[in-house]
Amino acid sequence: MEGLKPGMKHTATLKVERKHCTSRGGPWVFSTPEMVKFSELACHELAAPHLSPGQNSVGVVVHIRHMAPTGEGQSVRAEIELSEVDRRRLKFKVNLFDELDQIGECEHERFVIDVDKSLERLKAKAHKLGIALP
């Protein structure tokens, strides 16, 4: 985690396919839930190479503004900047574009976890519910 510093940047792209779209009775357009997912994954991509073995990051806050439609077949680009590192909390700013317009903006927070500790907590929770985890 030591390599994560405010100001770090990353860019991710996505070709919008039908599975990323909604139609609501009109043309197929990039959906807001898929914009959230794309933003989260892009932020994860920035952080992941800088985490220690046995660590990962999980999304904890997403504030997104979907500003313009993007049609099926277009490409979208996320420009990410790590804006804050506070112990294990990572805060990102994301600007999203298609070929013509800015289509969204997002503030996203991720938390760095120890995978083994998180798994133990999940197993304890599942045990209380009578669910077996692998």
Side-chain angles (χ1 to χ4, degrees):
M1 233 191 94
E2 297 158 10
L4 288 167
K5 306 284 184 220
M8 294 178 75
K9 295 182 179 184
H10 175 66
T11 300
T13 58
L14 175 73
K15 180 80 165 178
V16 177
E17 299 176 22
R18 178 71 51 99
K19 66 183 178 182
H20 305 121
C21 294
T22 186
S23 75
R24 304 290 191 252
W28 290 97
V29 295
F30 190 46
S31 74
T32 302
E34 288 294 327
M35 182 182 280
V36 170
K37 181 179 175 182
F38 177 52
S39 297
E40 279 207 57
L41 288 172
C43 292
H44 172 76
E45 287 174 1
L46 185 154
H50 304 282
L51 301 179
S52 299
Q55 289 184 326
N56 208 332
S57 70
V58 294
V60 294
V61 175
V62 177
H63 178 81
I64 200 155
R65 184 171 167 231
H66 197 152
M67 299 160 49
T70 299
E72 179 181 10
Q74 286 188 260
S75 293
V76 293
R77 179 179 81 253
E79 295 179 358
I80 301 98
E81 181 174 355
L82 179 58
S83 58
E84 187 178 330
V85 178
D86 181 11
R87 295 178 301 254
R88 290 178 173 249
R89 186 178 59 85
L90 309 173
K91 190 171 184 179
F92 300 87
K93 290 184 181 179
V94 182
N95 289 301
L96 299 122
F97 303 88
D98 62 20
E99 296 94 333
L100 299 175
D101 299 309
Q102 181 170 3
I103 61 167
E105 56 190 18
C106 175
E107 290 183 0
H108 177 48
E109 292 183 25
R110 300 188 70 76
F111 194 81
V112 177
I113 62 164
D114 293 316
V115 174
D116 289 342
K117 287 181 185 177
S118 183
L119 180 58
E120 288 307 312
R121 288 178 62 201
L122 184 59
K123 283 182 179 179
K125 192 173 193 176
H127 179 72
K128 288 180 183 178
L129 295 170
I131 300 170
L133 291 179

